Every structure is written in structure tokens, then in C-alpha cells.
Amino acid sequence: MDSLTQIALGSAVGVAVMGRRTAAWKAALWGAVAGTLPDLDAFIDHGDAILNMTRHRAESHALFVLTLAAPVLAWIVSRLHGESALFKRWWLALWLALITHPLLDTMTVYGTQLLQPFSDHPFGVGSVFIIDPAYTVPLIVGVIAALRLKSTRGLAWNTAGLVLSTLYLVWSVGAQQHVTQIARASLQQDGVAPDGLLVTPAPFNTVLWRLVATTPTQYLEGHYSLLDDSKRIVWTVHARGAELIEKHRDDPYIARMAAFTHGFYSVSAADGRLFVTDLRMGQEPTYTFRFDLGTDAARASGAHRPTRSVMSPDLRQALPWLWRRLQGERMAPPGVPPATPRLGAAPA
């Protein structure tokens, strides 16, 4: 999730656990620090763009590592404020603030390696977008109330914020499962038996959902809003680059992307250069993570390291489309050529 959300969650957890045993500002401050610490790994350069992506949310997000770090941080905080008698309470508060960070990240689609150093499996439920005001605002309101209201009313507001945000996560999983069933039925109706199906929310909400289905040779993208008047999904069909995937299957970078994305990737070539794209984040034709692997000669000589090829959507088109599509208006995503093959569309 975004940094503001993690700060708000850490603060809310800190205040909830510490209560009035210490000043609310101390609990909020150190909860925010603990909620931010795991993301400092973003400043580590692992040598190339693909490693930087796949090594983010690794050891710094591991439950084992954060559990070891919690008493150290609690010892520093309790000594700093002369509250040695509250060491165990600070330990609990900061441990929860630390581990709720990766647990919340796991609700997004990116991939969080919770079990490092024992496993590098990237966990990702994918039921919330990385920025979602419906989750974040209750936390912020609760923390502000706890800081401003000195009575137990402030703590009650903080608790209410945590409860509402948690219920929103539960709602997101339920909505995701509902849309998954609709997507599977739509694919079956169109005669498609996918190898994989990804159902994840469009930006900033859990009403409009983006769907990606993969086959050995293609990937299909569709959108479904809970406000749609029909359960029939229109899918746009795109080539995955099957021949290139087979040819470069042993390339360590493509193999790493295949594992990290759980198979939701494509490979393409342009101007003599090879590209690998994470299909989970962004939408056709602009994706958050697309990497330039260089030319055949550069890869063979080891002279090229993968670089990120930035693909930015036109927000002047994307945001109005998002709002109108969320409300159930059937519209093709901006930037997708009209000639793109479609399944599920009404005959012209």
C-alpha cells in the first residue's frame, strides 16, 4: 500500500495497543515509524530494474525478520521516553505495527515475501488497489480523533477506524470472489479455458474490477463493475509472445518475472530489443512494470542490465473513463485500438 496508508495503519495500531498508558502522540509517532520502516528497502539498489522490483517486499517484509526487530525497537523507544516499565507493551504495539505492514501489502497484487528467509514465494491476494481512500480515510480520522480528544472517546474513534478498515478488506475479498465467479462463467461462455485468471480492482475502488486471463499464446483483458447491468464481460485479446517465451524460457530475468508474476507476463520484441511485461499492474496498453532486456548481442555479452521502460497513461482520458466505467457504462479502455479482437461483445 502507499506510504500514507501504512503510516496511518501503524499509528492506529500503536494508539490502540498503548491506549492512555503513554501520550497518544508517542504511540502514534512510533507506530507510524514502525509502519514505515519495512518500505525503506525501496532505497536499496540490487543492480538492475528487475531485481529491484522482485527484491522489494522481501526480507524487510518478512514476518520472521520483523518479529526479531520488534523488541530492539521497543527497547530503544521505552528507554528514550523513560518508560522502561512499559517495555512489554511497547514491544507488542511495535510488533503489531511492523507486521501489519506486510500483511496489508499482501492484500495487494504486487507480491510480498512474508516467509523470507525460508521461502521467496510472493504472496498477493490482490483484492485492494495500492491506493484506496475507503480503506485509508477511516484510519486517519480515528488517529486524529485520538490525538485531539483526550478522553476515551478518542480511543473509541481510533478503534472504530481500525474496525471499519478491516471490514473493508473483508468486503474486498468477498467482492473479488463474486467477480471471479462471473469472470469464469463469462470465459466458459466464450469457450476459453484459461491457465490463469487474475481479478484485481481498478484504481482507488473495489466497485470496478480488472480481469486478466492467460492461455499459452494469449492474454485476455476485461473489466466488470458491480454496477454493470449484465454479467457478460467483453474481453480484448492480445498475444503473449508465445514463440519468444519458448525461445527465451531459460533467460534468468524472464524466469524470475514468470515466477514473481505467477505466470501473468508477456514477452515482446521491438527494434531488435526484448521486453518482458508484468500484466498484473496497469492495463492495456500501459503497464507499470515493463522491462527492456536489451538486444540479443548485449544479453549474450552480459553488457546490458534490464531497465524499466516507463509507460504512463494519459490521465486526461484514463480518469474520466475510470469514473464512467465504474458506474456501469460499457466503454472500451482508452488507448486500445478499435481493431483489437474482442470476445463477448455484441455483434456490430
Side-chain angles (χ1 to χ4, degrees):
M1 297 291 283
D2 64 285
S3 296
L4 176 60
T5 298
Q6 293 291 8
I7 288 172
L9 176 60
S11 293
V13 168
V15 169
V17 176
M18 295 305 297
R20 295 305 182 191
R21 294 172 182 84
T22 189
W25 70 266
K26 296 179 186 177
L29 171 63
W30 289 108
V33 170
T36 301
L37 282 176
D39 275 344
L40 294 182
D41 70 333
F43 295 101
I44 300 174
D45 185 359
H46 294 281
D48 65 66
I50 288 182
L51 284 176
N52 287 342
M53 176 194 173
T54 58
R55 293 301 299 158
H56 178 45
R57 296 192 186 178
E59 286 85 0
S60 70
H61 287 60
L63 300 181
F64 176 74
V65 174
L66 295 176
T67 296
L68 294 179
V72 177
L73 183 58
W75 183 87
I76 294 172
V77 172
S78 61
R79 294 302 188 278
L80 180 65
H81 294 296
E83 297 177 346
S84 298
L86 293 176
F87 166 72
K88 290 184 178 180
R89 199 73 185 185
W90 275 114
W91 184 352
L92 176 61
L94 295 177
W95 175 69
L96 287 173
L98 285 168
I99 68 166
T100 50
H101 177 122
L103 291 176
L104 178 59
D105 277 349
T106 301
M107 300 303 295
T108 70
V109 76
Y110 185 98
T112 307
Q113 298 171 48
L114 295 175
L115 300 183
Q116 285 280 5
F118 311 107
S119 169
D120 60 1
H121 179 80
F123 294 89
V125 176
S127 66
V128 291
F129 189 68
I130 58 170
I131 302 173
D132 193 327
Y135 178 83
T136 307
V137 170
L139 294 172
I140 295 175
V141 171
V143 170
I144 291 175
L147 292 173
R148 293 180 63 87
L149 303 175
K150 303 305 180 184
S151 65
T152 56
R153 286 182 57 219
L155 297 180
W157 275 82
N158 184 70
T159 300
L162 281 167
V163 170
L164 287 173
S165 290
T166 302
L167 289 176
Y168 183 73
L169 295 180
V170 174
W171 147 262
S172 74
V173 173
Q176 182 187 47
Q177 293 306 308
H178 171 68
V179 176
T180 298
Q181 293 177 359
I182 292 173
R184 291 193 185 282
S186 180
L187 288 167
Q188 184 177 26
Q189 190 173 357
D190 288 320
V192 178
D195 294 334
L197 175 61
L198 178 73
V199 178
T200 191
F204 318 128
N205 77 102
T206 51
V207 175
L208 177 63
W209 295 77
R210 175 176 177 262
L211 321 168
V212 179
T214 58
T215 73
T217 59
Q218 298 174 323
Y219 64 92
L220 294 76
E221 182 186 56
H223 290 84
Y224 179 78
S225 170
L226 299 180
L227 302 179
D228 281 355
D229 57 8
S230 169
K231 293 184 178 180
R232 190 68 189 273
I233 296 170
V234 177
W235 304 87
T236 58
V237 184
H238 311 273
R240 285 189 67 192
E243 293 183 1
L244 292 172
I245 290 175
E246 182 61 31
K247 178 180 178 181
H248 299 284
R249 186 174 300 277
D250 295 330
D251 183 288
Y253 291 112
I254 291 180
R256 177 176 285 271
M257 286 294 292
F260 191 77
T261 64
H262 305 289
F264 291 97
Y265 72 103
S266 67
V267 179
S268 59
D271 300 323
R273 310 180 76 83
L274 191 67
F275 295 86
V276 59
T277 301
D278 183 341
L279 299 175
R280 301 171 304 158
M281 288 167 279
Q283 70 179 37
E284 198 67 34
T286 56
Y287 289 94
T288 306
F289 294 104
R290 180 174 184 260
F291 300 99
D292 179 355
L293 302 184
T295 63
D296 289 343
R299 291 197 311 280
S301 66
H304 181 80
R305 291 289 180 269
T307 57
R308 184 176 169 189
S309 180
V310 178
M311 306 174 69
S312 300
D314 184 349
L315 296 181
R316 292 172 299 179
Q317 295 183 15
L319 291 179
W321 175 87
L322 176 68
W323 177 243
R324 293 170 64 185
R325 185 64 190 87
L326 181 151
Q327 296 178 82
E329 185 176 344
R330 298 282 183 147
M331 304 169 60
V336 177
T340 302
R342 285 172 167 79
L343 294 178

